[in-house]
């Protein structure tokens, strides 16, 4: 998909700018990588815990901090994604309404 292209894959006819879509894909890839790293951290934490070796248990303190920081990063990425998505939908709906008559639904009385 080239920059400036539109993608209408939301199922409701809304078009998403290619640049916005690239941003979403990049963010989701970052989230996926962090979650993969968290899976590895959790496995190592569990192994260290099961070993009951004092050095391994001490190492868990740092691993758990890293895990918590990663979770914060994922939350931040999802918050940024949510904001970007909201802005793109607002921009899209503003673009749809410019120069076009308003669409009203007739409600059955």
């Amino acid at each position: 998909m080239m920059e400036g292209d539109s993608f209408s894959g939301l199922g409701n006819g809304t078009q998403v700018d290619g640049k916005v879509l690239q941003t979403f894909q990049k963010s989701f890839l970052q989230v996926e990588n962090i979650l993969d790293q968290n899976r590895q951290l959790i496995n190592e934490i569990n192994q260290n815990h099961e070993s009951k070796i004092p050095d391994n248990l001490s190492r868990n303190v740092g691993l758990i901090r890293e895990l918590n920081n990663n979770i914060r990063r994922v939350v931040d990425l999802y918050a940024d994604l949510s904001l970007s998505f909201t802005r793109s939908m607002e921009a899209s709906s503003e673009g749809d309404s410019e120069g076009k008559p308003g669409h009203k639904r007739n409600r059955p009385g």
Side-chain angles (χ1 to χ4, degrees):
M1 185 170 292
M2 300 294 292
E3 190 171 324
D5 288 349
S6 295
F7 173 76
S8 59
L10 295 180
N12 62 359
T14 302
Q15 291 193 345
V16 179
D17 184 87
K19 190 175 181 181
V20 172
L21 189 60
Q22 280 182 328
T23 301
F24 289 158
Q25 289 173 332
K26 180 183 173 190
S27 294
F28 282 123
L29 184 60
Q30 285 179 297
V31 167
E32 185 177 13
N33 289 334
I34 293 169
L35 293 176
D36 286 342
Q37 184 182 7
N38 284 357
R39 188 176 304 108
Q40 292 171 349
L41 286 169
I42 290 167
N43 286 336
E44 187 174 348
I45 290 166
N46 285 335
Q47 289 171 359
N48 289 345
H49 182 74
E50 289 170 4
S51 77
K52 304 215 186 312
I53 297 170
D55 286 345
N56 289 351
L57 294 173
S58 295
R59 179 165 161 65
N60 274 359
V61 173
L63 294 174
I64 291 169
R65 281 193 185 116
E66 186 177 350
L67 182 64
N68 284 333
N69 287 334
N70 285 353
I71 291 168
R72 278 190 208 97
R73 287 173 51 207
V74 169
V75 168
D76 290 344
L77 283 166
Y78 276 131
D80 291 346
L81 272 169
S82 177
L83 185 60
S84 294
F85 184 76
T86 301
R87 285 181 178 161
S88 70
M89 290 295 99
E90 288 171 352
S92 175
S93 67
E94 286 173 10
D96 288 347
S97 64
E98 288 178 12
K100 295 181 182 177
H103 298 286
K104 291 185 179 179
R105 290 188 199 171
N106 294 328
R107 294 184 184 171

